Amino acid sequence: MSDKFSNADTGDKPADPYKEQNKHETSLKEKVEDLVAFMEKCKFAMMTTRVASTGLLVSRCMALAAKEGGGVDLLFHTNTESGKTDDLESDPKINIAFLNSSGEWASLSGEANVTTDREKIRKYYSPALKAWVGDLGDGKHTGGPEDPRIGMIEVKAVTATYAITNQNILSRTMEVAKGMVTGNAPNVNMLRELSEEELQECEYNIVSLILLFLTLHLCCNENSLVF
């Protein structure tokens, strides 16, 4: 039994003309850089997890705290006593979605881990967190970086899909209007996908660069000792 839903047979013509018209291939470097730049501009994302007790999905608006792994592994602050940490304890699979007012969007799927590493929390701590977790007045749960309730959700991206545009609103509107008349899908976005293999390659390249930098740094230090 097929796991794909289909309700039509379009023969040799694309059943999804929009995707066919807008899919955009470019270098891995450009795909990653454009995705990272888009997420930075959005700042806020919808985080989707699965509720353990019901199996239903729930989404929450989250502020992006930091990025690692070349910009595609994401970090978010969390109250460790919140529902989303319970969700992730039961099922670490997660989706992070970004959207702006122009209709550009990005969706990253992967796995998440809740960390209480104080060094990392101190590094990315924001005073605004105190407003969200509160100061309980007991000298321990202060809403500061040492508050044990403050943790971070680390999201390791496995795949990503996004759509951005280099057209202004007038050009896109004209494309859509033309499509309504001709029946041809409008070319309004650059629709791109990053596979698991591509994201692994991106991570490998970053690790290689770090190792190269460390090697050069050690060599420079050794040379300075010699001379």
Side-chain angles (χ1 to χ4, degrees):
M1 184 177 180
S2 174
D3 60 356
K4 295 179 65 176
F5 178 86
S6 178
N7 194 45
D9 181 1
T10 59
D12 60 353
K13 295 183 178 180
D16 187 354
Y18 165 80
K19 183 174 182 179
E20 191 70 22
Q21 181 73 351
N22 289 271
K23 65 181 181 181
H24 184 267
E25 290 300 328
T26 185
S27 68
L28 175 58
K29 181 176 182 292
E30 184 175 349
K31 284 201 286 188
V32 171
E33 287 179 349
D34 285 351
L35 172 60
V36 171
F38 175 69
M39 293 189 296
E40 285 178 345
K41 288 179 182 178
C42 287
K43 299 185 185 302
F44 293 94
M46 295 301 291
M47 174 184 289
T48 302
T49 57
R50 187 179 299 277
V51 181
S53 59
T54 64
L56 297 175
L57 301 177
V58 60
S59 297
R60 302 169 176 88
C61 183
M62 301 286 288
L64 182 61
K67 304 181 301 302
E68 295 181 338
V72 293
D73 292 337
L74 311 179
L75 289 93
F76 300 87
H77 293 114
T78 186
N79 183 334
T80 59
E81 311 311 300
S82 69
K84 55 186 172 292
T85 56
D86 293 337
D87 298 346
L88 293 172
E89 179 69 18
S90 170
D91 186 349
K93 291 183 175 60
I94 197 168
N95 180 266
I96 305 294
F98 296 85
L99 176 69
N100 69 13
S101 59
S102 298
E104 297 174 300
W105 57 270
S107 171
L108 288 81
S109 296
E111 296 201 352
N113 172 63
V114 180
T115 180
T116 55
D117 179 351
R118 298 334 292 179
E119 185 177 344
K120 178 167 285 190
I121 290 167
R122 291 186 200 104
K123 180 179 179 180
Y124 296 119
Y125 177 78
S126 168
L129 288 170
K130 190 170 185 176
W132 296 101
V133 300
D135 184 345
L136 302 187
D138 58 6
K140 182 177 182 180
H141 304 97
T142 63
E146 305 306 317
D147 189 326
R149 296 173 299 163
I150 294 179
M152 299 201 77
I153 296 174
E154 301 172 312
V155 178
K156 183 169 183 59
V158 176
T159 63
T161 304
Y162 68 99
I164 57 175
T165 184
N166 55 9
Q167 301 179 33
N168 60 40
I169 187 64
L170 179 60
S171 298
R172 297 173 75 190
T173 302
M174 290 178 63
E175 271 288 309
V176 173
K178 185 172 68 174
M180 293 172 64
V181 174
T182 64
N184 296 322
N187 185 355
V188 292
N189 288 317
M190 293 185 289
L191 183 62
R192 297 170 176 169
E193 296 179 348
L194 283 159
S195 67
E196 183 174 1
E197 292 73 22
E198 286 177 311
L199 288 177
Q200 286 176 346
E201 181 182 342
C202 175
E203 185 175 6
Y204 173 79
N205 291 340
I206 292 165
V207 171
S208 298
L209 285 173
I210 292 172
L211 290 174
L212 176 60
F213 173 80
L214 290 174
T215 302
L216 291 172
H217 181 69
L218 288 172
C219 288
C220 288
N221 285 342
E222 288 176 358
N223 289 336
S224 65
L225 290 173
V226 171
F227 293 102

